[in-house]
Amino acid sequence: LLFVIFFILILCVFSVLGEKSTILISGFNSKSKDEREKYDKEKMIKDYKKSFAIWIVILLLGALGSYYISQYCSVIAFVIWLIIFFKDVHLDEEKAFGKYKIKK
């Protein structure tokens, strides 16, 4: 449940700040300002907000399942979240941000 609260706060920050919240994205914040202008920030934020929402739902279902059904529901939900999380983590900048590059 603590992860749910944490991700809700992050989702709210991304929603309130809009495109300015791209500076909070690891790897993207280390790019120069000129480099960051070559990316579709709106699409990037939309995808990150969608990811946070999915994570919130998965972890919330796990928390509710552990309360009403069995404690193992939270473990299952956490494992599912870890799989989804690591699927989206990229060490290569091109893989991480390539789909957001503005094509001219």
Side-chain angles (χ1 to χ4, degrees):
L1 197 54
L2 290 174
F3 275 118
V4 171
I5 295 167
F6 177 71
F7 289 131
I8 287 173
L9 291 174
I10 292 174
L11 179 63
C12 289
V13 168
F14 272 67
S15 295
V16 169
L17 294 179
E19 289 184 8
K20 292 179 183 177
S21 61
T22 56
I23 201 72
L24 300 173
I25 298 172
S26 179
F28 193 72
N29 58 5
S30 61
K31 292 183 175 292
S32 69
K33 188 172 184 175
D34 293 335
E35 277 292 312
R36 288 194 301 255
E37 294 301 319
K38 297 176 183 176
Y39 293 88
D40 185 356
K41 295 178 186 174
E42 186 176 327
K43 183 179 178 188
M44 189 181 299
I45 294 304
K46 184 179 174 184
D47 283 352
Y48 273 80
K49 288 187 334 186
K50 181 180 156 191
S51 292
F52 291 136
I54 290 170
W55 297 353
I56 289 166
V57 169
I58 290 170
L59 294 172
L60 186 59
L61 288 174
L64 293 174
S66 70
Y67 182 76
Y68 289 110
I69 300 170
S70 169
Q71 65 185 1
Y72 297 110
C73 290
S74 62
V75 173
I76 293 168
F78 189 72
V79 168
I80 292 170
W81 175 78
L82 278 175
I83 292 168
I84 292 172
F85 176 79
F86 283 114
K87 179 186 73 74
D88 291 339
V89 171
H90 301 287
L91 298 177
D92 181 26
E93 283 187 25
E94 185 57 35
K95 285 184 182 178
F97 305 117
K99 65 182 176 181
Y100 304 114
K101 204 161 215 171
I102 298 173
K103 297 180 171 73
K104 291 185 181 183

